[in-house]
Amino acid sequence: MYDDAVDRRPAKPVRIAVSSCLLGNHVRYDGGHQRDEFLVDVLALVCELVPVCPEVAIGLGVPRPPIRLLGDLTRPHARGVENNELDVTAALTQYAAHMAREINEISGYVFKSKSPSCGIRGVKVHVPGARSASTGVGVFAHEFTALQLLLPVEDEARLAPPGLRDCFIERVFAYRRW
Ligand code: SF4
């Protein structure tokens, strides 16, 4: 006999967006990936990981010319390393706004560190005339996190120490409950 009062549907998995290259997908500018063992071999067992690659999504293709952050430190542009005329700032910003609205029921986001698109801290910014190196935030990550202010976010480099890793997972599950 079944008890009709009990909801027997399986609980929905916790969903976390992840920079696609960290999941072993060959989406980097040079056709490579940055597979992260913790994400693929551990976190994927308990969460649904949703791959996102903004540079592929805006049509840059694989392989593609590499880009870098250039210009004003507070709002740098994403421009081609070899071809300064290539400026994908607007496309990355628009895609971030689209994803912040449309991506379904995620409870966290793990970004690729140091990427001019996905990095959430410490991304090298080339400021013309500056003597020392400066750092900032990737264009896609900047817009996405501004529009998803409460979402727990980290990059894979910061998830290496177990303490920070546990803290992030707790924040993700708390966000999901909330
Ligand atoms: S860092 Fe971001 S834009 Fe670059 S390959 Fe990975 S997912 Fe794509």
Side-chain angles (χ1 to χ4, degrees):
M1 287 279 288
Y2 290 108
D3 179 357
D4 290 340
V6 176
D7 186 349
R8 296 180 184 279
R9 290 172 299 179
K12 282 189 188 173
V14 172
R15 286 162 54 88
I16 300 177
V18 180
S19 293
S20 185
C21 55
L22 294 174
L23 299 180
N25 297 321
H26 292 255
V27 292
R28 276 170 55 88
Y29 72 95
D30 58 0
H33 62 79
Q34 288 284 327
R35 186 182 190 278
D36 184 275
E37 281 184 15
F38 166 67
L39 296 174
V40 177
D41 298 336
V42 179
L43 197 59
L45 299 179
V46 291
C47 297
E48 180 183 344
L49 304 184
V50 182
V52 180
C53 179
E55 292 182 20
V56 169
I58 64 171
L60 289 179
V62 181
R64 57 184 173 273
I67 58 173
R68 63 177 178 171
L69 295 183
L70 183 73
D72 181 353
L73 197 52
T74 56
R75 210 62 205 254
H77 278 225
R79 288 182 178 271
V81 172
E82 290 136 19
N83 175 11
N84 198 39
E85 298 297 305
L86 174 66
D87 187 339
V88 292
T89 313
L92 286 171
T93 303
Q94 285 164 16
Y95 182 65
H98 167 79
M99 288 300 280
R101 274 194 317 271
E102 299 296 328
I103 195 164
N104 276 331
E105 296 182 7
I106 57 167
S107 300
Y109 201 135
V110 181
F111 289 92
K112 173 70 186 77
S113 61
K114 299 182 180 169
S115 157
S117 298
C118 295
I120 53 173
R121 61 175 68 82
V123 184
K124 193 184 279 185
V125 181
H126 301 265
V127 181
R131 293 193 171 174
S132 55
S134 303
T135 58
V137 178
V139 171
F140 172 84
H142 185 281
E143 183 72 10
F144 188 95
T145 54
L147 296 171
Q148 289 268 353
L149 272 179
L150 300 179
L151 187 73
V153 300
E154 265 307 348
D155 61 45
E156 90 292 355
R158 288 244 313 168
L159 291 183
L164 289 176
R165 193 181 283 177
D166 293 349
C167 178
F168 175 69
I169 302 299
E170 279 174 20
R171 285 163 52 213
V172 165
F173 278 79
Y175 184 92
R176 161 68 181 255
R177 283 195 299 276
W178 175 64

